[in-house]
Amino acid sequence: MKFRGKIIDIACLNHFSRVVTTIAKLTKTCVLRLTPDNLFFVLSGKVANGGVSMWCELSQGNFFDEYQMEGVSSEDNEICLELSPENLSRALKTVQNAKSVKVKLTKKHCPCVTVSAELPTLSSVSRVVTHDVPVEVIPRRLWHELKEPSVPDFHVSIYLPPLKTMKNVVDRMKNLSNFLANLNGEMNLKIETDLVSVTTHFKDLGNPPWGGGSEGGADPEGMAEARVDIRRLQQFLMGQQVTPTKAMCNIVHQRILHLVVLHDDASLQYFIPAVA
């Protein structure tokens, strides 16, 4: 197995760093899956058992000036590594002003993703900083757990309001919240306690072309609903480091909240299970 990449463009480096920081705010550990064309950050929690799952896809050509990898074999040309995204994020943050950054798979005291950068200097002596991020190589027999999660048939798909606006609303909520949306571009965030019920209404958000989901002929005014742990929704919103091109959610009524954030060169899916 071999992997080596090089980033020269500072805008690409900073964008890659922000994406990794987003992942770090969503999970303590995840799998970095490398293929010849793409990088994936994967968290394969079992949503049906109450866990969250995540799938982030990056096109390597949009970030790396040089990119070479050789997988486990010619038939299975992939590399899957478990790592702490926080450690990778820290390494990238310290080299944001570098002339160039190299990222490669190395074998030190254990397998590592090594980030080395040539930093600007006023003298003729070059200054190189190196960070080793420990990783664990995922054996091929477990790769079946790292495929893109299938999206269940959903009842409503709707564009989200600006994520900062949504975060300000969610930050005032506690514990559980009801997330409701319909095919008429309307979304409600509702919090109920023994003493009070508060609902925040969003209108004219719009629905994606597939907004009807699998429920043909559904009532546009009818609300699909998912009751979720507000901390998980808050974690997702806090993690967003890059303003997305589009953000939307799909609701499987009373089962799953599927959040999708799209950028020009990356996409992130996040699945939050509903609670009773």
Side-chain angles (χ1 to χ4, degrees), residues 154-159 179-189 201-208 210-213 218-226 249-251 253:
F154 50 83
H155 298 82
V156 167
S157 181
I158 190 168
Y159 291 117
F179 196 114
L180 300 92
N182 65 16
L183 300 178
N184 213 23
E186 297 172 335
M187 184 185 85
N188 299 336
L189 289 174
H201 301 271
F202 297 93
K203 295 185 177 182
D204 302 319
L205 296 176
N207 301 91
W210 56 84
D219 176 13
E221 301 290 337
M223 287 284 185
E225 179 176 358
C249 84
N250 304 314
I251 298 179
H253 188 56

Side-chain angles (χ1 to χ4, degrees), residues 30-237:
C30 68
V31 173
L32 171 59
R33 178 181 166 209
L34 303 167
T35 70
D37 298 318
N38 297 296
L39 300 87
F40 304 88
F41 291 94
V42 185
L43 175 64
S44 56
K46 299 290 186 287
V47 177
N49 297 332
V52 299
S53 67
M54 174 195 72
W55 178 268
C56 181
E57 181 173 344
L58 313 177
S59 172
Q60 59 89 356
N62 290 328
F63 295 89
F64 288 85
D65 295 276
E66 298 174 16
Y67 184 94
Q68 298 173 311
M69 63 84 59
E70 294 178 16
V72 172
S73 66
S74 56
E75 295 81 19
D76 296 303
N77 195 17
E78 297 184 12
I79 301 172
C80 294
L81 309 167
E82 187 175 60
L83 51 70
S84 162
E86 175 64 25
N87 289 342
L88 182 57
S89 173
R90 285 178 187 160
L92 292 169
K93 282 180 180 178
T94 64
V95 299
Q96 286 188 333
N97 295 318
K99 292 181 180 179
S100 65
V101 173
K102 295 178 181 178
V103 184
K104 59 183 178 179
L105 182 60
T106 59
K107 178 73 172 176
K108 303 287 179 83
H109 55 286
C110 67
C112 293
V113 168
T114 296
V115 178
S116 58
E118 183 182 355
L119 300 181
T121 178
L122 296 175
S123 69
S124 59
V125 180
S126 63
R127 195 159 57 106
V128 177
V129 173
T130 300
H131 297 271
D132 293 321
V133 178
V135 299
E136 183 177 336
V137 179
I138 304 294
R140 188 165 28 177
R141 59 186 166 80
L142 299 179
W143 285 8
H144 68 278
E145 299 178 2
L146 305 174
K147 301 303 180 185
E148 182 172 5
S150 59
V151 181
D153 291 339
F154 50 83
H155 298 82
V156 167
S157 181
I158 190 168
Y159 291 117
L160 293 175
L163 298 185
K164 285 186 178 179
T165 302
M166 194 170 161
K167 178 181 177 298
N168 290 337
V169 172
V170 170
D171 281 348
R172 299 188 185 98
M173 297 178 166
K174 293 182 179 179
N175 301 325
L176 301 176
S177 175
N178 287 29
F179 196 114
L180 300 92
N182 65 16
L183 300 178
N184 213 23
E186 297 172 335
M187 184 185 85
N188 299 336
L189 289 174
K190 184 178 181 181
I191 185 81
E192 287 183 301
T193 69
D194 293 338
L195 300 175
V196 67
S197 173
V198 179
T199 303
T200 303
H201 301 271
F202 297 93
K203 295 185 177 182
D204 302 319
L205 296 176
N207 301 91
W210 56 84
S214 61
E215 302 297 305
D219 176 13
E221 301 290 337
M223 287 284 185
E225 179 176 358
R227 184 174 173 85
V228 297
D229 184 336
I230 203 69
R231 291 169 297 181
R232 288 178 168 172
L233 182 56
Q234 195 173 31
Q235 185 179 32
F236 169 80
L237 294 168

